């Protein structure tokens, strides 16, 4: 690998981060700076997804608080409808934050999304119940969810882009896997808190005030995440774009929304296919299964939550090793293995879960969780590599959020409705199998990116 040359002096607003040095041939990054960037992105992501874990695992209680009805299925549908609404507005958030991230910088937008998400989550904890203000309660819940969804539209793409642009080429899979490690940590934090409250509080206490606690905690947590992200420096790849804009006598890179779509159609379609299988299986296992065990299979609520928590802890243990594996064997083989696994094992795994005993549920959930790791470990490094630096944040935001909105975030709502309409309790398995087919097609057409520079960027190595 060619040695890095000295950095040529540039205007202050276009300088690369002080711990990242570049020449015409290579970008050399400081491992300590990379570690700090990964930590801040992952911790911020954990705080973002703490709320989604809480909302999913306390869905049955929220249904009683905000959507009173004599039909438990109708309550659950209404609650997941508000959950899905946040995803429907995500593309709009992506179309706003993505271009801004490509124009003014990744770090600034990540800080903004952090504070918006924390504000929306904190607001949910302050909303009066349906019994207090009637129909205004679910309306306010919906508005808070829309704020969360709008901010999340710029979160994942920005965090994945941030880590990918900092990481050395040979370690991008390993370092990127920590982003989803943070997601799992957030889910575990939210679900663990709900499980603790469910075990310690009476049903009346949980319905009257206990459900508010996790949402109110998210406020100060968001301030911590904001502090971490404000301390970050801009990525070397974006700094290079700033330098290029300065040489062209522009204060900022010129990025238009249509530039993020025109010429990127193949990459956008691949992105949407990969995100589809990733998020359908993710939300099926981590968001829908706790409610499936409780509402559909009549399984004890506390034990069901503990099983899912154990599965997520198992996934966290495997996650970094699976990320490192993608650097060694490639992203395509790992993602393909996950698609084949879900196609072949979704039905057997769900049959085990439906058997009802603790060991059977644990085994079926663990099998699905380990298959899901094939996606959580590889997607944070795979998706940013689909797009060139100039439009990476924006194009990834558009493709990611459209796919999540249509397929991922609606998974609990759609599967609950399908079970209600057909009476077929195997619908979750069939839905995951269909997603696996789409993901397999995307893997077939994608180009391997492991160990290679990001499109539009120099090769990146550690100092």
């Amino acid at each position: 690998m060619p040695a890095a040359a000295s950095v040529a002096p540039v205007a202050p607003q276009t300088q690369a981060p002080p711990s990242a040095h570049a020449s015409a041939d290579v970008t050399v990054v400081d491992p300590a700076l990379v570690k700090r960037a990964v930590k801040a992105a992952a911790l911020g992501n954990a705080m973002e997804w703490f709320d989604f874990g809480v909302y999913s695992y306390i869905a049955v209680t929220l249904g009683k608080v905000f959507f009173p009805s004599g039909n438990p299925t109708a309550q659950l549908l209404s609650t997941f409808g508000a959950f899905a609404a946040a995803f429907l507005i995500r593309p709009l958030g992506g179309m706003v934050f993505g271009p801004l991230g490509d124009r003014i910088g990744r770090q600034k937008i990540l800080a903004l999304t952090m504070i918006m998400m924390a504000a929306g989550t904190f607001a949910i904890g302050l909303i009066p119940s349906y019994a207090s203000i009637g129909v205004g309660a679910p309306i306010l819940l919906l508005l808070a969810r829309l704020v969360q969804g709008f901010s999340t539209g710029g979160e994942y793409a920005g965090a994945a882009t941030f880590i990918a642009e900092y990481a050395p080429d040979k370690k991008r899979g390993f370092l990127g896997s920590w982003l989803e490690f943070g997601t799992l940590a957030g889910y575990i934090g939210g679900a663990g808190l709900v499980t603790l409250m469910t075990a310690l509080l009476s049903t009346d206490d949980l319905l009257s005030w206990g459900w508010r606690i996790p949402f109110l905690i998210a406020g100060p947590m968001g301030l911590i995440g904001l502090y971490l992200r404000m301390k970050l420096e801009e990525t070397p790849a974006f700094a290079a774009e700033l330098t290029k804009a300065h040489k062209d006598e522009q204060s900022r890179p010129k990025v238009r929304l249509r530039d993020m779509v025109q010429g990127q159609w193949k990459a956008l379609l691949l992105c949407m296919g990969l995100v589809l299988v990733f998020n359908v299986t993710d939300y099926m296992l981590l968001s829908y299964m706790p409610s499936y065990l409780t509402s559909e299979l009549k399984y004890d609520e506390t034990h069901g939550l503990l099983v899912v928590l154990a599965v997520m802890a198992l996934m966290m243990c495997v996650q970094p090793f699976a990320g490192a594996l993608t650097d060694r064997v490639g992203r395509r083989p790992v993602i393909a293995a996950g698609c084949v696994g879900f196609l072949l094992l979704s039905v057997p795994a769900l049959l085990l879960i439906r058997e009802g005993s603790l060991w059977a549920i644990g085994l079926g959930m663990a099998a699905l969780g380990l298959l899901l790791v094939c996606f959580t470990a590889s997607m944070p490094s795979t998706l940013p590599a689909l797009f060139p630096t100039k439009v990476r944040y924006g194009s990834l935001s558009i493709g990611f959020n459209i796919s999540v909105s249509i397929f991922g975030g609606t998974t609990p709502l759609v599967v609950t409705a399908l079970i209600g309409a057909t009476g077929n309790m195997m619908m979750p398995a069939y839905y995951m199998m269909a997603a696996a087919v789409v993901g397999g097609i995307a893997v077939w057409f994608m180009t391997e990116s492991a160990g290679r520079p990001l499109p539009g960027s120099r090769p990146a190595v550690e100092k």
Side-chain angles (χ1 to χ4, degrees):
M1 183 67 66
S6 301
V7 182
V10 293
Q13 71 269 28
T14 63
Q15 284 183 327
S19 297
H21 304 279
S23 73
D25 301 315
V26 66
T27 296
V28 183
V29 293
D30 186 339
L33 182 63
V34 174
K35 183 178 180 180
R36 185 152 57 93
V38 171
K39 183 186 299 184
L43 285 175
N45 204 51
M47 293 174 188
E48 294 266 5
W49 288 96
F50 173 87
D51 165 68
F52 284 86
V54 167
Y55 195 96
S56 301
Y57 288 86
I58 207 169
V60 174
T61 299
L62 291 181
K64 297 175 182 177
V65 172
F66 289 102
F67 305 98
S69 168
N71 187 335
T73 300
Q75 287 181 337
L76 196 60
L77 276 171
S78 299
T79 305
F80 279 135
F83 183 84
F87 288 85
L88 296 179
I89 200 172
R90 282 181 67 156
L92 180 59
M95 285 188 287
V96 171
F97 291 124
L100 283 174
D102 284 324
R103 179 170 175 78
I104 68 174
R106 285 73 161 111
Q107 181 265 346
K108 293 181 179 66
I109 299 304
L110 284 175
L112 179 59
T113 60
M114 183 79 258
I115 195 64
M116 286 185 64
M117 183 68 174
T121 304
F122 187 77
I124 291 178
L126 301 176
I127 299 174
S129 67
Y130 185 93
S132 299
I133 63 172
V135 72
I139 291 175
L140 289 174
L141 175 64
L142 179 61
L143 290 175
R145 292 293 298 164
L146 292 177
V147 171
Q148 291 175 320
F150 187 77
S151 65
T152 307
E155 168 58 27
Y156 186 91
T161 295
F162 198 86
I163 293 178
E165 291 184 348
Y166 256 115
D169 296 335
K170 292 184 178 180
K171 290 186 176 181
R172 189 168 292 116
F174 170 71
L175 294 172
S177 69
W178 289 98
L179 181 62
E180 287 296 329
F181 185 95
T183 296
L184 290 168
Y187 265 110
I188 286 180
L193 184 56
V194 171
T195 303
L196 182 64
M197 292 191 311
T198 302
L200 296 180
L201 298 179
S202 67
T203 302
D204 290 340
D205 287 340
L206 193 63
L207 285 171
S208 62
W209 56 268
W211 66 270
R212 300 181 185 276
I213 294 175
F215 297 102
L216 296 177
I217 288 176
M221 287 178 62
L223 294 177
I224 296 173
L226 177 64
Y227 171 78
L228 291 172
R229 289 186 170 181
M230 290 297 291
K231 299 289 286 184
L232 291 174
E233 298 164 351
E234 196 50 79
T235 68
F238 184 76
E241 286 294 319
L242 283 178
T243 301
K244 181 180 177 182
H246 178 71
K247 290 179 179 178
D248 294 338
E249 298 183 353
Q250 301 170 11
S251 59
R252 295 287 178 184
K254 274 192 174 181
V255 185
R256 296 170 297 182
L257 185 60
R258 70 177 186 181
D259 295 332
M260 299 173 182
V261 178
Q262 290 181 349
Q264 303 297 327
W265 281 110
K266 179 182 177 181
L268 284 170
L269 290 174
L270 290 176
C271 176
M272 292 176 65
L274 293 170
V275 171
L276 185 152
V277 65
F278 172 28
N279 277 268
V280 164
T281 52
D282 193 316
Y283 284 101
M284 186 75 75
L285 181 64
L286 303 184
S287 297
Y288 176 71
M289 275 301 167
S291 296
Y292 179 79
L293 293 173
T294 302
S295 300
E296 306 294 348
L297 301 185
K298 310 303 178 185
Y299 194 70
D300 177 75
E301 185 173 355
T302 301
H303 285 92
L305 291 172
L306 288 173
V307 169
V308 180
L309 279 173
V311 171
M312 289 191 288
L314 173 64
M315 292 174 62
M316 288 180 68
C317 293
V318 178
Q319 180 79 6
F321 298 100
L325 181 65
T326 70
D327 288 322
R328 295 184 60 184
V329 304
R331 326 286 191 227
R332 294 181 75 233
V334 175
I335 299 173
C339 292
V340 172
F342 273 108
L343 188 61
L344 299 179
L345 299 179
S346 290
V347 168
L350 194 61
L351 288 174
L352 275 173
I353 292 170
R354 289 192 60 200
E355 195 274 335
S357 63
L358 183 60
W359 73 267
I361 292 175
L363 185 60
M365 294 287 287
L368 294 176
L370 290 176
L371 289 174
L372 179 57
V373 170
C374 293
F375 305 143
T376 59
S378 56
M379 292 299 180
S381 53
T382 299
L383 299 176
L386 294 172
F387 305 101
T389 302
K390 185 176 181 180
V391 296
R392 181 171 295 125
Y393 196 156
S395 296
L396 178 52
S397 293
I398 293 170
F400 185 90
N401 287 301
I402 288 176
S403 188
V404 171
S405 298
I406 298 175
F407 304 106
T410 58
T411 294
L413 179 65
V414 171
V415 174
T416 301
L418 287 174
I419 292 175
T422 65
N424 190 334
M425 304 294 284
M426 294 302 294
M427 279 298 172
Y430 301 148
Y431 206 68
M432 288 188 290
M433 292 170 67
V437 172
V438 176
I441 294 172
V443 173
W444 180 267
F445 286 102
M446 68 175 277
T447 302
E448 182 58 68
S449 60
R452 303 175 184 178
L454 293 172
S457 297
R458 305 180 184 93
V461 298
E462 286 184 317
K463 182 185 293 185

